[in-house]
Amino acid sequence: MKLYNTLTRKKEEFKPIDEKEVKMYSCGPTVYNYFHIGNARPFIIFDILRRYFEYTGYKVNFVQNFTDIDDKMIKKANEEGITVKELAQKYIDEYFVDAKGLGIREATVHPKATENIDAIIELIKKLEDKGLAYSVEGDVYFNTQKFKEYGKLSQQSIEDLKMGSRIEVDNRKKDAMDFVLWKNHKPGEPFWESPWGKGRPGWHIECSAMVNKYLGETIDIHSGGKDLVFPHHENEIAQSEGANGKPFAKYWIHNGFINVDNEKMSKSAGNFFTVRDISQKYDYEVIRFFMLSAHYRSPINFSAELMEQSKNGLDRIYTCIDNLEHLKGHAIESEITNGEKEFENRLIDLKKKFIEAMDDDLNTADAIAAIFDIVREVNLNVNSSSSEGIIDMSISLIKELGNVLGIGVREREKNVDSDVQELIEKRQQARKDKNWKLADEIRYKLKDMGVTIEDTPQGTKVVHK
Ligand SMILES: [Zn+2]
């Protein structure tokens, strides 16, 4: 498999350090609110990367943190009149509700910053001992001038980075690029005891400390949104490589931004949506499908039109599986017949096409296209005279590939309410009685109710509701 590595700006063959196990870390949410669709993209993408590794036979040790202490957390907790800890627990619980809906599996570990203060302090001490950190009045800073490779991930000179980022002038820092590792305690804020006095950790240090603790000094993949490249990931590299003297992550994987109606999503523009908001209108699975419809490094545009397309695309997959299961119930028990061999080979080729797409830097858009090709082939070739063997193969192939992407494998409610069921039965009786007029009337009535039916040799079924 090839993955685009931000560190080298190249697609590289993926080879984990340990042959059997992939060690992967992804920066998780700051838990002060429901997460928005921009956050959802990396959660979904890296869940798929993990699933694909597992599909190809690796074990995956996947760590995703919760940032549960920072300025935003403190501000929001004060606004809501609850403690930072209560706020964090509330939105961690809500994270799991949305994540589950979106089909994002739980990480191997979800460590919290506040539960890893010892590891954080230990790492800062190590940096201090190595002359890479200094303290000023209870604050501790990383000394970027002492880390020669600073800027290697963003591939910009320190001067460019300084120009491009808004850095507050702080005369206590040795260099404008130096960043905080430990913050001195302010009244009314949560604090922990440390060698530098009461205080709390800065943001960047928690990820370095947790990677170290849960995965080791060098990991295979570090991932996150593109907006994290600088300064967050640059700073993580400085901290971890500065402390350990070893490469931090072999591959750095970053996803592109999400726009809303072709504009940058922002609170001030009023086009800022949480996943929870959108799940009121669309199934969570439609949101997931939408996120996969573009390559993860490209920008993706969120619009009502694309969500409708995603909904229809997903429905096509489910309808195909429904039809296959319906046919299976009436198929003659038989292996794949000679006449079906050619079709079987086409299915095998399409599975290869899916794998090639995934191997090419996780091209989920092409992988979905391969699933649609399978659906099209099935719709053309499988019918009431197909063997049980080919029907089984079609169902399991769609489900197998769908499971890698986390789509098309849910138990969907058929949603046929009793009124509809009653009308269908009444119509079946009318057909038996050869009362075609009544049968047609009922068909139109059902159509008015938004129910389309289809008469098959095995009976009447609801095609789409
Ligand atoms: Zn991080």
Side-chain angles (χ1 to χ4, degrees):
M1 178 186 202
K2 282 201 161 71
L3 281 172
Y4 183 86
N5 189 351
T6 308
L7 192 61
T8 58
R9 301 290 194 273
K10 276 196 303 239
K11 271 191 206 174
E12 292 175 19
E13 192 61 41
F14 176 73
K15 240 182 138 255
I17 300 156
D18 175 339
E19 260 176 52
K20 290 189 193 74
E21 190 187 74
V22 178
K23 292 186 176 70
M24 205 173 144
Y25 183 91
S26 208
C27 298
T30 303
V31 278
Y32 70 109
N33 207 337
Y34 296 99
F35 63 85
H36 59 75
I37 49 170
N39 303 128
R41 194 177 189 194
F43 300 154
I44 293 169
I45 294 297
F46 303 123
D47 176 67
I48 286 170
L49 183 57
R50 175 196 192 189
R51 284 168 185 254
Y52 189 60
F53 282 141
E54 288 178 352
Y55 177 70
T56 53
Y58 291 115
K59 236 187 95 184
V60 183
N61 192 348
F62 179 52
V63 179
Q64 183 185 292
N65 66 313
F66 284 120
T67 297
D68 61 348
I69 178 77
D70 84 337
D71 293 341
K72 285 184 292 234
M73 297 281 309
I74 294 168
K75 188 168 172 270
K76 184 83 185 290
N78 286 337
E79 281 167 16
E80 292 200 8
I82 54 177
T83 65
V84 170
K85 203 178 166 144
E86 285 163 343
L87 179 79
Q89 197 51 55
K90 176 175 166 188
Y91 287 111
I92 286 172
D93 292 345
E94 300 294 3
Y95 166 87
F96 284 117
V97 171
D98 287 331
K100 192 167 178 238
L102 290 170
I104 299 162
R105 290 164 48 201
E106 276 188 34
T108 316
V109 196
H110 280 284
K112 297 176 201 158
T114 60
E115 289 174 3
N116 288 280
I117 299 292
D118 288 352
I120 291 169
I121 289 174
E122 204 182 302
L123 183 58
I124 301 174
K125 276 202 315 212
K126 202 167 168 186
L127 289 169
E128 211 178 23
D129 290 346
K130 289 200 164 188
L132 287 160
Y134 57 93
S135 61
V136 195
E137 298 158 6
D139 288 331
V140 184
Y141 291 98
F142 187 92
N143 191 341
T144 48
Q145 283 175 328
K146 290 280 170 68
F147 185 71
K148 293 284 165 282
E149 291 181 292
Y150 194 76
K152 73 173 174 181
L153 184 67
S154 8
Q155 293 195 352
Q156 292 188 71
S157 72
I158 302 279
E159 289 314 309
D160 287 342
L161 290 174
K162 277 183 195 170
M163 297 276 282
S165 55
R166 277 174 290 167
I167 304 165
E168 287 168 46
V169 180
D170 184 347
N171 293 329
R172 302 179 317 153
K173 292 202 273 184
K174 292 184 178 171
D175 186 280
M177 297 308 285
D178 293 355
F179 55 91
V180 72
L181 299 170
W182 187 263
K183 291 185 178 180
N184 192 13
H185 173 241
K186 288 196 197 110
E189 292 186 356
F191 64 86
W192 290 264
E193 296 293 343
S194 83
W196 313 281
K198 291 185 174 79
R200 60 184 168 97
W203 171 38
H204 314 298
I205 195 71
E206 69 176 71
C207 289
S208 283
M210 291 189 230
V211 168
N212 232 345
K213 180 169 165 183
Y214 295 96
L215 296 169
E217 293 178 337
T218 304
I219 61 171
D220 296 300
I221 292 178
H222 196 311
S223 54
K226 205 168 140 186
D227 52 324
L228 296 184
V229 172
F230 184 84
H232 185 53
H233 288 164
E234 196 71 70
N235 292 350
E236 282 190 45
I237 291 179
Q239 294 163 163
S240 296
E241 300 195 354
N244 300 326
K246 286 181 189 158
F248 180 38
K250 209 170 157 190
Y251 306 90
W252 285 86
I253 314 291
H254 293 100
N255 65 278
F257 295 127
I258 190 159
N259 294 320
V260 175
D261 294 326
N262 291 312
E263 278 179 45
K264 197 169 179 261
M265 185 171 75
S266 73
K267 271 188 180 148
S268 52
N271 61 358
F272 186 90
F273 300 112
T274 65
V275 165
R276 190 64 60 92
D277 292 335
I278 295 164
S279 72
Q280 310 298 316
K281 195 163 176 209
Y282 296 98
D283 271 5
Y284 277 113
E285 196 180 3
V286 174
I287 305 174
R288 184 178 180 103
F289 186 97
F290 159 76
M291 293 288 182
L292 306 182
S293 60
H295 187 270
Y296 75 91
R297 281 192 291 121
S298 312
I300 191 169
N301 186 42
F302 181 85
S303 68
E305 196 189 335
L306 286 171
M307 287 302 283
E308 286 301 325
Q309 277 178 27
S310 301
K311 185 179 174 298
N312 294 338
L314 198 55
D315 283 346
R316 258 163 72 200
I317 297 173
Y318 276 104
T319 305
C320 180
I321 296 171
D322 276 356
N323 286 341
L324 283 167
E325 277 167 354
H326 183 77
L327 288 168
K328 182 178 153 70
H330 305 275
I332 307 145
E333 267 183 59
S334 153
E335 308 265 296
I336 296 173
T337 63
N338 283 336
E340 291 167 338
K341 286 282 178 210
E342 205 190 310
F343 171 55
E344 182 192 12
N345 287 334
R346 279 207 297 281
L347 291 183
I348 292 167
D349 284 345
L350 288 170
K351 178 178 170 175
K352 276 189 208 138
K353 189 179 160 189
F354 175 93
I355 289 170
E356 273 165 24
M358 295 296 277
D359 277 346
D360 183 15
D361 195 26
L362 206 72
N363 192 335
T364 53
D366 283 1
I368 289 180
I371 294 181
F372 280 140
D373 286 345
I374 293 170
V375 166
R376 192 163 31 245
E377 284 286 337
V378 165
N379 291 345
L380 283 171
N381 291 284
V382 181
N383 52 48
S384 54
S385 52
S386 297
S387 71
E388 197 178 7
I390 200 75
I391 295 173
D392 277 339
M393 180 186 169
S394 304
I395 295 173
S396 62
L397 182 61
I398 296 171
K399 288 194 173 174
E400 177 186 321
L401 304 184
N403 196 39
V404 175
L405 300 179
I407 53 168
V409 286
R410 301 190 187 194
E411 284 301 320
R412 271 195 167 184
E413 278 179 42
K414 293 280 188 279
N415 263 338
V416 179
D417 52 45
S418 54
D419 288 358
V420 171
Q421 197 53 45
E422 209 173 290
L423 282 169
I424 290 174
E425 278 161 24
K426 209 168 148 193
R427 184 171 167 276
Q428 265 165 339
Q429 191 54 49
R431 277 165 59 84
K432 260 187 210 158
D433 302 342
K434 301 208 183 324
N435 186 347
W436 308 118
K437 192 167 167 274
L438 180 61
D440 278 348
E441 275 169 22
I442 296 173
R443 176 193 282 274
Y444 293 129
K445 190 166 183 192
L446 283 165
K447 207 169 174 198
D448 284 345
M449 293 164 76
V451 180
T452 307
I453 49 169
E454 193 181 291
D455 296 312
T456 75
Q458 291 78 34
T460 302
K461 67 188 183 109
V462 175
V463 179
H464 187 67
K465 163 108 186 171

